[in-house]
């Protein structure tokens, strides 16, 4: 983005506007009408929520993932006197991500469905606020190459990666070693089942798994947080974002979720970013970077927090973390296979077709079954994603 673009009102597309991150993004945008204008809002099935967002934000375009409610939404917005164009389908999602008059794209679709529009935003050289970690996990090398090749500005929104980004020096061209970084300390709340034994874990319901103690999030990431797959996906995400090797990343369970991650330096310094657990902080950071804007988040009250605890992750009880680290070490399509198997398993768990502890079993079975190949072409990644999903579904119905 050039300096002229930075000084005028920024035009924003929010992919996945009706989700948890999408809503927080719109909350921050609404606080700064002098800085931001909404170009497009997109949603999957929540068409009524998308209508209400359109009535408030007046986007130029609204996109639904499929055409079921397209005519209904068009009529609703027209009757309300809005000029918003209503579209549907993947091509439309891609178009609003790469449109010439868009400066900023918030990538907040959940799962592999976000890959093509997020990559389109990168290839169009946008400022991309990356919440959709699955897109990067699936296509890491290709994605980061596209960021460099198209001069996109990639800002991590995942709170841990946003924290690490804030704890690194602003001139980060020489890689971690060049900056004197010895380790990235990725904090984890430990999820709602920290300290539970195998017998307790096997009986967990979707309602329990979706009730995270510190963060309010969508259902899929809530389950991922409970299995620690979220931390595994984040480890892979950190490897790509910060050019780190898996062994340079230590997972630190920190139940209060006040420190959002840390960077350790060769001189013994450990720099942390702290704040209340509210995604509007990293979202506001991404929207305004390198400036700072208000986000509606209260300042952290350290006296109320009083203490900070730390412990290692229990990988025996929560094998998904190890599966993700091993997939990153295996390279190629292994992280894409892991992600696809996990998406199928989590959906089956939320549907009550699979037990909580079997999520890791499905992921392990898919990684054992599917051959890992080089992940340097998008078609290969999408094919392998499809293959992993079919193998996972077969495992479920065996
Ligand atoms: P969510 O389920 O609340 O929202 C997902 C959004 O994506 C919705 O707008 C939904 O309509 C849309 N969507 C779902 N399936 C789609 C499809 N097939 N095609 C098009 N759109 C589709 O999820 P969330 O919690 O907001 O998370 C979004 C992303 O951000 C995830 O990748 C998650 O890992 C990441 N993230 C979330 C949080 C958080 O606090 N919620 C924190 C860090 C990272
Ligand atoms: Mg996170």
């Amino acid at each position: 983005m050039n300096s002229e673009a930075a000084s005028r009102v920024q035009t924003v597309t929010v992919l996945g506007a009706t989700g948890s991150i999408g809503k927080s993004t719109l909350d921050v945008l609404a606080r700064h009408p002098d800085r931001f204008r909404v170009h497009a809002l997109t949603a999957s099935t929540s068409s009524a929520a998308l209508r209400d967002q359109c009535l408030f934000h007046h986007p130029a375009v609204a996109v639904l993932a499929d055409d079921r409610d397209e005519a209904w939404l068009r009529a609703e917005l027209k009757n309300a006197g809005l000029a918003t164009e209503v579209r549907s389908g993947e091509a439309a999602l891609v178009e609003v991500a790469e449109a010439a008059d868009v400066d900023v794209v918030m990538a907040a679709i959940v799962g592999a469905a976000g890959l093509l529009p997020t990559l389109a935003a990168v290839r169009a050289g946008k400022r991309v606020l990356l919440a959709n970690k699955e897109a990067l996990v699936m296509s890491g090398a290709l994605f980061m190459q596209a960021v460099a090749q198209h001069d996109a500005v990639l800002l991590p929104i995942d709170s841990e990666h946003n924290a690490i980004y804030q704890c690194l020096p602003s001139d980060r061209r020489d890689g971690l070693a060049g900056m004197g970084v010895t380790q990235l300390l990725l904090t984890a709340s430990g999820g709602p089942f920290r300290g539970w034994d195998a017998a307790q874990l096997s009986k967990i319901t979707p309602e329990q798994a979706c009730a995270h103690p510190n963060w309010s999030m969508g259902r899929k990431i809530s389950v991922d947080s409970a299995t620690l797959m979220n931390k595994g996906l984040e480890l892979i995400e950190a490897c790509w974002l910060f050019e780190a090797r898996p062994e340079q990343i230590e997972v630190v369970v920190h139940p209060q979720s006040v420190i959002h991650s840390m960077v350790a330096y060769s001189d013994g310094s450990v720099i942390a970013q702290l704040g209340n657990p509210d995604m509007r902080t990293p979202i506001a950071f991404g929207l305004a970077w390198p400036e700072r804007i208000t986000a509606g988040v209260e300042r952290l009250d350290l006296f109320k927090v009083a203490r900070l605890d730390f412990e290692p992750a229990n990988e025996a009880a929560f094998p998904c973390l190890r599966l993700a680290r091993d997939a990153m070490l295996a390279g190629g399509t292994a992280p894409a296979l892991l992600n696809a198997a996990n998406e199928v398993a989590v959906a089956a768990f939320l549907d009550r077709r699979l037990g909580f502890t079997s999520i890791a079993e499905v992921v392990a079975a898919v990684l054992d079954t599917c051959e890992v190949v080089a992940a340097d072409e998008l078609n290969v990644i999408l094919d392998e994603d499809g293959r992993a999903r079919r193998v996972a579904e077969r495992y479920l119905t065996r």
Side-chain angles (χ1 to χ4, degrees), residues 15-23 42-46 64-65 93 107-111 113-114 130-135 157-160 215-222 224 230 233-234 237 279:
L15 300 170
T18 53
S20 163
I21 293 287
K23 285 190 237 165
T42 86
S44 159
T45 48
S46 324
L64 286 163
L93 287 173
I109 291 174
V110 59
L130 185 71
N132 180 206
K133 64 192 86 182
E134 295 91 343
I157 298 304
D158 214 345
S159 57
E160 296 77 2
W215 296 95
S216 151
M217 307 180 286
R219 282 160 70 76
K220 192 260 176 184
I221 185 178
S222 295
D224 286 347
N230 184 49
L233 297 175
E234 289 183 355
E237 186 185 8
M279 290 306 293

Side-chain angles (χ1 to χ4, degrees), residues 124-199:
K126 306 297 184 196
R127 172 185 290 224
V128 178
L129 310 192
L130 185 71
N132 180 206
K133 64 192 86 182
E134 295 91 343
L136 184 60
V137 166
M138 290 172 73
S139 68
L142 193 110
F143 192 104
M144 295 310 291
Q145 259 164 30
V147 170
Q149 196 180 337
H150 299 280
D151 262 343
V153 176
L154 184 65
L155 294 167
I157 298 304
D158 214 345
S159 57
E160 296 77 2
H161 307 75
N162 188 268
I164 291 169
Y165 193 92
Q166 296 197 43
C167 296
L168 288 170
S170 47
D171 182 3
R172 57 197 58 180
R173 272 168 295 185
D174 297 333
L176 290 183
M179 294 184 282
V181 172
T182 53
Q183 232 172 4
L184 304 179
L185 306 176
L186 197 63
T187 55
S189 68
F193 312 125
R194 188 173 55 88
W196 288 32
D197 63 28

Side-chain angles (χ1 to χ4, degrees), residues 64 74 93 105 107 149 171 174 185 227 238 269 276 301 312 331-332 367:
L64 286 163
R74 188 173 294 123
L93 287 173
V105 174
Q149 196 180 337
D171 182 3
D174 297 333
L185 306 176
T227 59
S269 296
N276 282 316
D301 182 342
L367 286 167

Side-chain angles (χ1 to χ4, degrees), residues 56-112:
F56 189 88
H57 293 278
H58 298 183
V61 192
V63 183
L64 286 163
D66 63 55
D67 62 6
R68 255 173 304 175
D69 291 339
E70 189 183 346
W72 172 84
L73 182 61
R74 188 173 294 123
E76 287 281 305
L77 298 183
K78 191 166 172 241
N79 290 344
L82 256 63
T84 303
E85 181 192 350
V86 177
R87 306 192 47 195
S88 69
E90 193 156 67
L93 287 173
V94 165
E95 259 175 60
V96 293
E98 65 186 14
D101 46 354
V102 168
D103 303 301
V104 183
V105 174
M106 164 54 83
I109 291 174
V110 59

